[in-house]
Amino acid sequence: KWVNREISNFDYLIQLNTMAGRTYNDLAQYPVFPWILRDYTSEELDLNNPAVFRDLSKPIGVVNEKNAKTVKEKYNFEDPLGMIDKFHYGTHYSNAAGVMHYLIRVEPFTTLHIQLQSGRFDCADRQFHSIPATWQALMDNPNDVKELIPEFFYFPEFLENQNGFNLGQLQISKEVVNDVVLPKWAHSPEDFIYKHRKALESEYVSAHLHEWIDLIFGYKQRGPAAVEALNVFY
């Protein structure tokens, strides 16, 4: 059905996640969705321009070519005790802390986050406070490899601090962390979701989504294909 375009990319990803045992009921196995865009700074989003899309054939940790060298070096490091299998990334593209990170403004994730942080909010600079800044951090840091969650494509409320939580202020700019800062091309949380979902269903993503699926659900998860794709996780 997906190949024949009888179901959307969104529906296909949800079904793949379900078949892979991922579920909204388990934060450690939460559904995982890809970052699909790389342009979070333009005034307008041009979905006919391939340059606005992330390269879906590469793990998020090496979408920025500059990180590939560091990632390869980490893999080639010899554990002197021979106890640890080789890996490119010491963290994972999907984990419970990452889900709580994105959904911190929405219960029950707020309370879960506070429990995880020993009874208080994590420091403001580590909060999810800006989509452009989150993308930039991924590009600058090969150790940050979080992919997205499905809510980025249908749930505008998670981008707003509707409960008025005191999330602190950033150290350098002293900016108070409140609603999530959106890309320039999004005029509201609803507009972001609408355009982001449109991007997910675009011609470019439809033609390349299978490359990301190979990395997360397919034959590039382990073995020689994973090593070659720089896709081995601790």
Side-chain angles (χ1 to χ4, degrees), residues 14-204:
I14 286 287
Q15 291 199 31
L16 275 176
N17 271 285
T18 304
M19 286 182 226
R22 290 184 169 272
T23 165
Y24 285 106
N25 300 323
D26 181 354
L27 290 185
Q29 291 292 337
Y30 207 77
V32 57
F33 267 56
W35 283 92
I36 53 169
L37 295 171
R38 69 167 72 179
D39 181 358
Y40 296 95
T41 52
S42 298
E43 300 287 341
E44 298 290 329
L45 182 65
D46 178 8
L47 294 178
N48 294 317
N49 177 6
V52 306
F53 294 97
R54 166 242 178 126
D55 182 346
L56 287 159
S57 70
K58 293 179 179 167
I60 195 70
V62 289
V63 165
N64 182 348
E65 284 287 343
K66 284 196 291 220
N67 293 338
K69 183 170 177 277
T70 314
V71 165
K72 283 177 187 163
E73 282 170 1
K74 187 179 286 181
Y75 185 82
N76 290 325
F77 172 75
E78 288 294 336
D79 172 25
L81 299 173
M83 306 277 283
I84 300 172
D85 289 336
K86 292 181 163 204
F87 60 88
H88 292 117
Y89 312 102
T91 56
H92 207 243
Y93 51 77
S94 167
N95 57 35
V99 176
M100 288 184 252
H101 175 75
Y102 286 137
L103 295 176
I104 188 171
R105 291 164 179 76
V106 189
E107 288 289 16
F109 304 97
T110 313
T111 298
L112 290 167
H113 168 91
I114 289 169
Q115 286 170 357
L116 181 72
Q117 296 295 335
S118 313
R120 56 189 173 76
F121 284 113
D122 194 4
C123 84
D125 287 74
R126 286 202 293 264
Q127 308 284 24
F128 173 49
H129 60 85
S130 158
I131 293 172
T134 301
W135 174 256
Q136 197 50 51
L138 284 174
M139 292 302 95
D140 295 341
N141 179 6
N143 298 316
D144 187 354
V145 292
K146 278 192 293 296
E147 289 280 9
L148 297 183
I149 52 175
E151 283 81 353
F152 274 82
F153 299 93
Y154 67 80
F155 186 51
E157 287 80 1
F158 90 102
L159 298 167
E160 299 174 281
N161 187 14
Q162 292 185 353
N163 294 318
F165 294 122
N166 177 5
L167 299 171
Q169 55 183 172
L170 303 180
Q171 281 176 335
I172 295 173
S173 67
K174 300 296 179 220
E175 187 187 335
V176 173
V177 176
N178 191 26
D179 294 347
V180 176
V181 176
L182 302 172
K184 284 184 183 170
W185 45 258
H187 308 300
S188 66
E190 291 76 13
D191 188 46
F192 171 79
I193 296 291
Y194 171 73
K195 287 173 178 163
H196 202 216
R197 181 71 171 262
K198 207 169 168 183
L200 179 65
E201 303 302 339
S202 68
E203 192 56 46
Y204 179 91

